[in-house]
Amino acid sequence: MTDATNTPPQPTDVPPARPAPDASSPAAPPYAPPMAPPAQYGQPAYPQPTYTQPGYPQAGYGQQPYGQPGYGYAAPVRPTNVLAIISLIASIVGLTLIPFLASIAGIITGHMGLKQVSTSGENGRGLALWGTILGWIGAGFWLLLFLIWLLFIFVFAASVPALTQVS
């Protein structure tokens, strides 16, 4: 414990000597936890923390010295390419609502958007890329579905004359 001025104990303070164990008392087991220090030694006083900015003297709390660096401006946000957004939307519509035509529009605008993104430095490369990929998937799916339907029509048409022949 510290005195009224709240000064920490000095290194010249010597802790009281511990009495030697009696021969009559049993020895402490080897797994016993170490004894805590005497209560007269309190926790040392730590200085008040101060917060400073790099390159400036320590000023503590309150107003920082004159000439501190400002917060600056936010980095300019690059716009997203409009054709990339249109490509993704058209490709999704091509997979769902307007089967083949919107997929073709998604492919074309996706390639145009990729070209513009690479030359102008705009954001939206991922949108244009996914619009192009989904456009090709949608166009391929609907083209395959059309070919299967066409094959079904030819097979059905080839089998009809055989059904109409009378023996």
Side-chain angles (χ1 to χ4, degrees):
M1 178 164 264
T2 58
D3 59 357
T5 60
N6 200 18
T7 58
Q10 300 301 318
T12 58
D13 294 342
V14 177
R18 294 186 183 160
D22 292 346
S24 63
S25 65
Y31 56 84
M35 293 179 55
Q40 70 181 9
Y41 297 107
Q43 184 173 357
Y46 293 104
Q48 184 71 18
T50 56
Y51 302 98
T52 61
Q53 292 180 352
Y56 287 96
Q58 194 169 2
Y61 296 107
Q63 180 66 34
Q64 294 293 324
Y66 180 74
Q68 65 184 356
Y71 291 109
Y73 296 102
V77 178
R78 296 184 305 176
T80 305
N81 190 314
V82 176
L83 283 176
I85 297 170
I86 291 172
S87 168
L88 185 63
I89 292 172
S91 295
I92 291 173
V93 168
L95 288 172
T96 56
L97 300 175
I98 308 172
F100 190 70
L101 297 176
S103 294
I104 297 299
I107 293 169
I108 294 170
T109 55
H111 283 292
M112 291 169 54
L114 283 172
K115 173 79 173 183
Q116 285 183 0
V117 165
S118 66
T119 58
S120 68
E122 292 177 313
N123 287 335
R125 183 180 187 282
L127 296 175
L129 191 63
W130 273 106
T132 306
I133 291 169
L134 288 178
W136 280 111
I137 289 173
F141 172 74
W142 291 110
L143 187 63
L144 183 67
L145 191 66
F146 176 73
L147 290 177
I148 291 173
W149 178 77
L150 199 61
L151 181 68
F152 175 76
I153 292 296
F154 283 137
V155 168
F156 182 73
S159 65
V160 169
L163 295 176
T164 59
Q165 288 181 349
V166 179
S167 22

